[in-house]
Amino acid sequence: MTAVGNGAQTAGRPTRLPRSARRKQLLAAAQEVFVAQGYHAAAMDDIAERAGVSKPVLYQHFPGKMELYLALLDTHCDAIVAKVHDAMRETDDNKERVGASVRAYFDFVDHESEAFRLVFESDLRNDPAVRQRVERVEQGCIAAITDTIISDTGVSRAHAELLASGLVGAAETAAQFWLAGGRQVPKAEAEALVAALSWRGIASFPLQGESA
């Protein structure tokens, strides 16, 4: 099995890397193993071998397999929430915001790392720590869109949250369905279809100061 990263080993000995670089290397190796095998089938031995380090080096950074898995989840959960926040902040055009939010989900599931499987298809969904992080993704994305809907339309928070949850649910479900179906529709076209569906619903709510 090939080690992850450049200079992982020299003459059979692990290369000394800065702690942050070593952590990044170990997370990359762990991600490949978890995505390929799932949490339960993966072993710390596999991850150490994939990273090209000894188990003691791995344990210096992560005390156990669960801690390693949760660190990966944190990274990817934070990334998808940040992308949706960026979609809300980067433009005042609400149609573009909807499109960017949908695109964030399609980009996430279509990434070559397949990291989305750790978030949306985890075999640990019943574990409280994992479930909390997965729920944080949904809640974080809904919150970002909710605030924008309230700001632009003046509807109540309860109404805005329901609308935001519909947009998030449609984007997430459609992106996973598209991937599982073998990408039969070109990605850009799939994103546009889902965005158009969502926009036609959201756009029916007038902006503050406009008549319905």
Side-chain angles (χ1 to χ4, degrees):
M1 187 177 291
T2 305
V4 169
N6 294 325
Q9 291 184 327
T10 303
R13 296 181 180 180
T15 301
R16 288 187 177 275
L17 294 176
R19 186 171 182 82
S20 60
R22 178 67 77 193
R23 179 183 172 86
K24 183 177 180 180
Q25 177 204 20
L26 295 175
L27 286 171
Q31 179 170 304
E32 292 183 7
V33 174
F34 285 136
V35 166
Q37 301 181 21
Y39 177 83
H40 293 295
M44 293 293 269
D45 284 324
D46 300 328
I47 296 168
E49 181 182 354
R50 185 72 186 89
V53 301
S54 65
K55 280 181 69 177
V57 169
L58 180 57
Y59 281 113
Q60 284 174 10
H61 293 264
F62 300 98
K65 187 168 70 167
M66 177 58 78
E67 288 78 9
L68 190 48
Y69 192 83
L70 293 178
L72 276 172
L73 268 186
D74 284 335
T75 297
H76 295 298
C77 289
D78 291 345
I80 184 65
V81 172
K83 285 193 174 188
V84 173
H85 273 278
D86 288 345
M88 296 298 105
R89 288 194 299 256
E90 289 177 351
T91 179
D92 292 328
D93 186 314
N94 286 325
K95 187 175 182 179
E96 290 183 10
R97 283 169 167 165
V98 170
S101 298
V102 170
R103 188 161 53 253
Y105 278 91
F106 274 81
D107 286 346
F108 186 49
V109 304
D110 194 42
H111 195 276
E112 62 183 9
S113 70
E114 297 189 88
F116 80 95
R117 299 191 187 281
L118 302 178
V119 179
F120 297 139
E121 298 180 0
S122 173
D123 53 353
L124 278 181
R125 291 293 288 266
N126 291 328
D127 180 271
V130 173
R131 185 170 62 248
Q132 183 270 332
R133 284 162 170 81
V134 173
E135 290 174 350
R136 190 178 76 212
V137 172
E138 181 176 278
Q139 293 165 357
C141 293
I142 289 173
I145 297 171
T146 294
D147 290 341
T148 299
I149 292 174
I150 291 173
S151 174
D152 285 357
T153 68
V155 300
S156 70
R157 176 161 293 275
H159 285 78
E161 285 177 339
L162 191 57
L163 291 169
S165 70
L167 175 56
V168 167
E172 178 184 328
T173 301
Q176 292 186 74
F177 180 86
W178 170 79
L179 186 68
R183 301 179 176 89
Q184 295 184 49
V185 178
K187 181 167 176 277
E189 185 178 343
E191 293 169 355
L193 284 170
V194 178
L197 174 64
S198 299
W199 173 244
R200 285 171 185 170
I202 295 291
S204 66
F205 291 84
L207 299 176
Q208 292 198 71
E210 294 181 353
S211 59

